[in-house]
Amino acid sequence: MDWAAAAYRARRQIGTRKRTFPEDRSLALIDVFAERGTMTAAELRQHGPADVVATILGHVTTAVHGKGHVPTRNGWYRRDETGTAYVIDAGFAVAWKGARACEGPPIAGAHR
């Protein structure tokens, strides 16, 4: 899997089209997930209700894997062995953080 290309597609997917949820909210969720590497469902819900979180993760999934569910093998994220937490693929996390670092700081008052 070319995680750099996948991260780029995911970033574009979040930024394109008008979304129900603000872009910065979506990016913040994926940023934290990439930084931590693992998050429980409760930690994910700190970024919004379950349906919001599922939608944001779904946008990334569509960009990375196409329509449908995250593959059980080589998916950009998965459930941990106990089924209590979500684990982001380390390669995708590195690629995501790299892509986001190239964006630079947001301009005050500007909307993406």
Side-chain angles (χ1 to χ4, degrees), residues 38-109:
T38 185
M39 293 179 78
T40 65
E43 290 169 331
L44 288 168
R45 282 192 306 273
Q46 290 175 357
H47 294 270
D51 62 326
V52 170
V53 170
T55 297
I56 293 167
L57 297 178
H59 289 318
V60 175
T61 299
T62 299
V64 174
H65 302 293
K67 297 223 183 262
H69 298 286
V70 176
T72 55
R73 295 175 49 108
N74 300 318
W76 78 273
Y77 79 98
R78 62 177 171 75
R79 289 267 189 148
D80 71 354
E81 295 76 25
T82 64
T84 60
Y86 297 90
V87 180
I88 195 167
D89 182 276
F92 182 82
V94 167
W96 178 263
K97 289 186 281 187
R100 294 284 285 142
C102 291
E103 290 182 22
I107 299 168

Side-chain angles (χ1 to χ4, degrees), residues 14-35:
I14 289 172
T16 59
R17 295 182 282 172
K18 186 173 181 181
R19 300 281 181 210
T20 306
F21 312 109
E23 181 179 7
D24 60 343
R25 190 170 169 184
S26 299
L27 294 172
L29 171 63
I30 305 304
D31 289 347
V32 171
F33 194 14
E35 187 61 38

